[in-house]
Amino acid sequence: MVSCQPSHSKTPASWSRESILIARGHGPFPSYLYRFRLHHSDICACGEKGDHLHYATSCHMMLSYHFTKSSAENTQLLWKSLLSNKLSRINIAKLISFLTENENLIKQPPDATSSIDFDPDFSPSPRPQNYGLRPSRGSIT
């Protein structure tokens, strides 16, 4: 008799929380936070769209965390290759930790936002956010 149930591995996935966040585009990225009105704009402080691919490959403030940028059609292949490499996953965790700890450095100030991107009714959340991330070791919360 043939089983109709899909088979699943009983071994746990080797992806860290940070790897999952960056692969899905979630986390302390202006483009993600802007969707939930937790940030006034989706633009990085350097002037480009502040998404996960930007911080991992082209933001000049994240040079020590950069990965090689691929063409648009190979973006999924890039993430697959990065997330299957243990050293890359460690660097991704460091990148997410840096972004979380230094949010004020990577976000574009409200007065620098163009009138197209700026929402005059925007009011950020009054309480500090950790965006689902655990505090890093040694930080005081």
Side-chain angles (χ1 to χ4, degrees):
M1 180 150 69
V2 177
S3 173
C4 294
Q5 296 290 327
S7 62
H8 296 284
S9 173
K10 297 199 188 299
T11 57
S14 59
W15 288 13
S16 67
R17 180 176 181 83
E18 291 83 3
S19 296
I20 293 168
L21 286 172
I22 201 162
R24 301 209 39 144
H26 299 177
F29 309 111
S31 64
Y32 179 70
L33 300 176
Y34 182 69
R35 289 174 44 200
F36 301 103
R37 299 181 60 88
L38 297 172
H39 195 258
H40 60 84
S41 171
D42 64 347
I43 304 297
C44 172
C46 71
E48 294 184 39
K49 183 171 181 170
D51 63 0
H52 60 295
L53 187 60
H54 167 70
Y55 287 109
T57 61
S58 61
C59 183
H60 69 273
M61 294 186 289
M62 305 291 133
L63 287 176
S64 58
Y65 302 104
H66 276 188
F67 298 101
T68 303
K69 188 171 185 172
S70 66
S71 60
E73 63 268 4
N74 292 327
T75 302
Q76 279 192 328
L77 192 59
L78 167 72
W79 289 120
K80 184 176 180 178
S81 125
L82 290 176
L83 294 168
S84 63
N85 181 301
K86 186 175 181 176
L87 183 58
S88 294
R89 288 191 310 266
I90 291 169
N91 286 337
I92 287 169
K94 289 178 182 178
L95 171 63
I96 293 290
S97 295
F98 179 82
L99 289 171
T100 303
E101 293 168 3
N102 298 291
E103 248 182 277
N104 58 336
L105 298 176
I106 60 169
K107 288 183 177 178
Q108 185 181 31
D111 57 352
T113 308
S114 70
S115 60
I116 296 170
D117 294 327
F118 184 68
D119 181 358
D121 298 326
F122 175 78
S123 61
S125 177
R127 63 182 196 276
Q129 300 288 326
N130 66 359
Y131 314 109
L133 298 173
R134 289 176 242 132
S136 63
R137 293 183 192 143
S139 66
I140 300 172
T141 55

